[in-house]
Amino acid sequence: MRRNKRERQRLLQATIEENPFVTDEQLAEKFSVSIQTIRLDRLELSIPELRERIKHVAERTFADEVKSLPIEEVIGEIIDMQLDESAISIFDVKQEHVFKRNQIARGHHLFAQANSLAVAVINDELALTAKANIRFMRPVKEGERVVAKAKVKNLNENGRTVVEVNSYVGQELVFQGEFHMYRSNVVKKDGEER
């Protein structure tokens, strides 16, 4: 059933508020209009595209959770976080991240994504990298999306925490890192702070 523009835009706004992860394609199908019509409606209503909506939700969600550094200092976009357990971030490799002659990502960007995720996953006001063992598995090219997955492996009583970070392009492992993190609060074996 076709609706008039005002009604469609009202329903479009309500649908996106209810589910900010809905795609333009899904909205076009739901409202029986073209994708271009949905994009024009979003533009008129000042509703950002899906990527920006996801980023906004993630920033809102994780800004209060991440204690060890400001959310805007994390390299990549955090899309999942369980403090002192695990975290996931995505990083899209763009022209400014690669060498001009071969379009291969500069290694410090992959390291920065992994290291900042290892810092962010620590449930403490102060978390610093004490030591890192890293391996670059294959070059990452411009246009590829790197998904970094951090897993807290060891919460020691001596103020150190080991965080393992594996970064993937698709299903292919491109970077491995084991980060030994210093934290100001010491975690007991039962999970309580000292």
Side-chain angles (χ1 to χ4, degrees):
M1 178 183 115
R2 293 197 54 109
R3 298 170 178 89
N4 69 35
K5 182 178 177 178
R6 183 171 288 152
E7 176 69 7
R8 182 183 65 242
Q9 287 183 345
R10 186 184 65 74
L11 292 171
L12 174 71
Q13 194 154 22
T15 302
I16 292 174
E17 283 173 11
E18 184 180 308
N19 177 12
F21 304 114
V22 66
T23 66
D24 287 347
E25 291 79 7
Q26 291 167 328
L27 290 167
E29 189 174 316
K30 178 176 179 163
F31 294 110
S32 303
V33 295
S34 69
I35 294 169
Q36 188 61 33
T37 299
I38 293 296
R39 290 179 180 154
L40 289 169
D41 284 350
R42 274 194 308 93
L43 190 62
E44 284 182 30
L45 296 168
S46 299
I47 298 172
E49 65 181 342
L50 176 63
R51 180 177 171 79
E52 288 301 312
R53 294 194 308 265
I54 290 171
K55 186 176 179 180
H56 180 70
V57 168
E59 285 173 354
R60 236 186 18 231
T61 303
F62 300 120
D64 294 333
E65 273 191 51
V66 176
K67 296 179 180 181
S68 53
L69 77 166
I71 194 79
E72 62 273 2
E73 290 183 17
V74 175
I75 306 302
E77 296 173 30
I78 294 178
I79 59 171
D80 187 39
M81 171 78 66
Q82 278 83 44
L83 290 174
D84 279 341
E85 290 181 26
S86 64
I88 300 172
S89 75
I90 57 173
F91 176 68
D92 291 318
V93 179
K94 298 179 181 161
Q95 185 177 3
E96 62 266 22
H97 306 123
V98 300
F99 293 107
K100 287 185 180 15
R101 63 184 164 92
N102 56 18
Q103 287 70 51
I104 292 175
R106 298 170 189 264
H108 65 272
H109 293 294
L110 300 179
F111 175 82
Q113 178 192 22
N115 187 64
S116 65
L117 192 60
V119 170
V121 76
I122 302 295
N123 187 12
D124 194 344
E125 297 288 327
L126 176 65
L128 302 170
T129 305
K131 179 173 115 177
N133 297 314
I134 64 169
R135 286 183 63 199
F136 294 92
M137 310 305 283
R138 79 140 169 96
V140 175
K141 299 249 184 204
E142 182 180 347
E144 292 185 314
R145 173 172 278 183
V146 181
V147 178
K149 298 179 180 184
K151 184 94 171 135
V152 175
K153 291 298 199 184
N154 193 358
L155 293 169
N156 289 336
E157 289 189 39
N158 65 359
R160 299 287 170 103
T161 299
V162 177
V163 180
E164 181 182 279
V165 180
N166 292 310
S167 299
Y168 301 87
V169 170
Q171 300 297 316
E172 187 177 3
L173 183 65
V174 296
F175 176 92
Q176 280 184 315
E178 182 180 84
F179 296 86
H180 295 254
M181 309 301 294
Y182 168 80
R183 63 192 304 149
S184 61
N185 66 15
V186 179
V187 180
K188 292 182 180 179
K189 287 189 169 127
D190 59 10
E192 290 181 21
E193 290 181 15
R194 282 198 288 177

